[in-house]
Amino acid sequence: MKKKKRAAASGAAKRKSAAARKVAPRRAQAAPAQAAPAPAPSPALTEAKAIIRRLKAELAAAQVQIAELQASAETDFLLDILNRRGFERELNRSIAYIKRYHASGALVMLDVDRLKPINDTYGHAAGDAVLKAIVKAVSGQVRASDVVGRLGGDEFAVLLWNLSETDAKAKAAALEQSIDRLTFDFRGRSVSAGASAGVAILGPHSDASRALEEADSAMYVRKAQRRHEVMGQ
């Protein structure tokens, strides 16, 4: 009987111990160590970064202003096309491209006829209207890749890409005709201007100065020819 009581007591103790293990809370795991907060930037570093941002913004604004000034220095304000400086820059760049890639092109020089008499008779506002109409007519005869510029008072130049000599001369004749067809009404009178065109072919051995001289010489030959044609009529 005593043995049974001891066995029962021993079993009860074991069950109590097991139950205690089940309900006993698990040992809390150690919390991971948190990184130390980054030190706040010093006032000197913050000020230096602000100065760098300001200088970058000022540099960007200055670059935009320089580009605008360069564009204005190469633009004819009256006609909104390149002036002589801008056109010569484009001509030099184009000749360099032609030499490097063995491309071809042509330079057409245009001299407006009778602009001075129009200015003297009807005023410079009338002459300006003639020049604007001529630029519109020329621009309508060329491609977007071609370049139109004003070299002087009544002289214009057109840079044409990828044309043979025959095609370039045909284009020069077409430009003459488009300008010859223009008519203007000043003080109740119908007035026309006209233009003479000379051509220089651009190739791997071209030079900008010589090309301008060649086209200019051809233009004066053409102007004399047109004057002779008018006198012979």
Side-chain angles (χ1 to χ4, degrees), residues 84 107-111 151 155 196-200 209-225:
R84 187 180 192 97
L107 174 65
V108 178
M109 188 84 74
L110 286 164
D111 185 81
L151 302 185
E155 284 191 345
S196 303
V199 178
S209 297
R210 286 199 300 270
L212 286 167
E213 291 174 0
E214 182 181 345
D216 193 56
S217 297
M219 179 269 295
Y220 276 107
V221 170
R222 176 60 179 158
K223 182 177 284 288
Q225 181 184 2

Side-chain angles (χ1 to χ4, degrees), residues 18-126:
R21 286 197 300 269
K22 287 182 180 179
V23 299
R26 294 180 179 178
R27 182 179 297 175
Q29 296 181 354
Q34 295 182 352
S42 66
L45 180 59
T46 302
E47 183 180 0
K49 289 182 177 180
I51 292 174
I52 291 172
R53 287 194 297 269
R54 177 173 57 81
L55 291 176
K56 285 182 176 180
E58 290 177 357
L59 176 60
Q63 289 173 335
V64 171
Q65 187 176 14
I66 290 171
E68 291 175 349
L69 290 173
Q70 183 178 6
S72 65
E74 297 181 348
T75 302
D76 185 284
F77 289 106
L78 173 65
L79 305 176
D80 196 28
I81 58 174
L82 293 176
N83 60 17
R84 187 180 192 97
R85 176 179 175 179
F87 187 84
E88 288 182 350
R89 175 181 57 80
E90 286 298 317
L91 180 60
N92 279 290
R93 181 183 298 176
S94 300
I95 289 177
Y97 180 91
I98 287 170
K99 289 180 177 180
R100 181 172 182 179
Y101 296 103
H102 303 284
S104 62
L107 174 65
V108 178
M109 188 84 74
L110 286 164
D111 185 81
V112 180
D113 299 329
R114 299 182 294 279
L115 183 63
K116 187 178 185 304
I118 292 173
N119 280 329
D120 293 343
T121 304
Y122 303 103
H124 286 278

